[in-house]
Amino acid sequence: MLLAILLTLFQTGTTDLQISLTTEFSERCQIFLWIASFASFAVKVPMVPVHIWLPEAHVEAPTAESVILAGIPLKFGTHGVLRFSIPMFPEATLCSTPFIYTLSAIAIIYTSLTTSRQIDLKKIIAYSSVAHMNLVTIGMFSPNIQGIGGSILPMLSHGLVPLALFLCVGVLYDRHKTRLVRYYGGLVSTMPNLSTIFFSFTLADMSSPGNLNPRRLGTIQRPPQSRRDDFTIEIESRVTPVSRAANRLARVKLTKLKKKVEDLIDKGFI
């Protein structure tokens, strides 16, 4: 990012954003500046393969820092792309759109599958956050205003729903001193109010109908013509929430089955 700023200063003679937005850079210079700036923004989104730091940071951080990290810093990357990369380097952005689509789709599929393998509640939320933010980048690089507007709403949603989930996990950890999923079977019988709140925000995180999640509003606000133009984005928005719901349901059933097997082992039947 610093290299891109220095090159912009060399080209325009100033670091003023308004002047930089009206300056016409050459195509080769745009590509170089776009790569330099996007490399820094991609880490903050984060995008695959520079996403590993986020789950580890959430696991090691206390609840308050996880809330702040999910609510504010993760938006710096997408805000930087929307504020600087796209308006300053439009030709380079247009050339790189297929690459961003491919990278974001890989990230969504990979992190969704990785989420289904996690046993730590914070890691589950963190990896699902990576999938959500890469869905934002797909809409942000779509060549129409509907896609960009639809990407801003999930950014707002991501600033609210994961925060609530991290707070719920923090309450559970303060009570039981563990974040492993297998220890929370039957939680509704001991903490019914928290279980209801947790389940409600889990539904919101999955963009299920009826929760007024801005992420869902961002997918349904498109007119029919833009849906046909952005077929890939439409399929992404439909399939990803369903896959996350299936993964979470399968994880719950697997946890209950494992608990029953352990009980049979303890009783000597196996």
Side-chain angles (χ1 to χ4, degrees), residues 146 220-228:
Q146 288 83 11
I220 66 176
Q221 71 167 358
R222 303 161 183 258
Q225 182 62 37
S226 67
R227 291 188 183 185
R228 288 194 295 270

Side-chain angles (χ1 to χ4, degrees), residues 97-222:
T97 297
F99 170 73
I100 297 300
Y101 283 175
T102 304
L103 196 63
S104 298
I106 292 174
I108 292 171
I109 296 172
Y110 171 73
T111 53
S112 297
L113 294 176
T114 306
T115 301
S116 65
R117 297 291 299 171
Q118 301 304 312
I119 60 175
D120 188 295
L121 288 173
K122 273 194 172 184
K123 279 193 174 183
I124 293 173
I125 302 172
Y127 275 108
S128 64
S129 296
V130 177
H132 296 161
M133 295 306 295
N134 279 270
L135 186 63
V136 170
T137 58
I138 290 181
M140 193 170 292
F141 279 86
S142 60
N144 54 62
I145 192 63
Q146 288 83 11
I148 296 176
S151 68
I152 295 176
L153 288 173
M155 287 174 58
L156 299 176
S157 170
H158 189 270
L160 299 174
V161 178
L163 269 65
L165 292 176
F166 278 121
L167 288 173
C168 292
V169 173
V171 172
L172 292 177
Y173 184 77
D174 290 340
R175 178 71 64 87
H176 301 286
K177 304 304 179 183
T178 182
R179 292 189 299 266
L180 299 182
V181 178
R182 62 178 181 176
Y183 291 113
Y184 292 113
L187 182 66
V188 69
S189 61
T190 57
M191 305 177 71
N193 294 332
L194 180 65
S195 299
T196 303
I197 296 173
F198 202 171
F199 182 68
S200 300
F201 281 106
T202 301
L203 292 179
D205 196 43
M206 296 186 297
S207 302
S208 61
N211 56 56
L212 296 181
N213 190 347
R215 188 183 300 122
R216 179 173 174 80
L217 296 179
T219 62
I220 66 176
Q221 71 167 358
R222 303 161 183 258

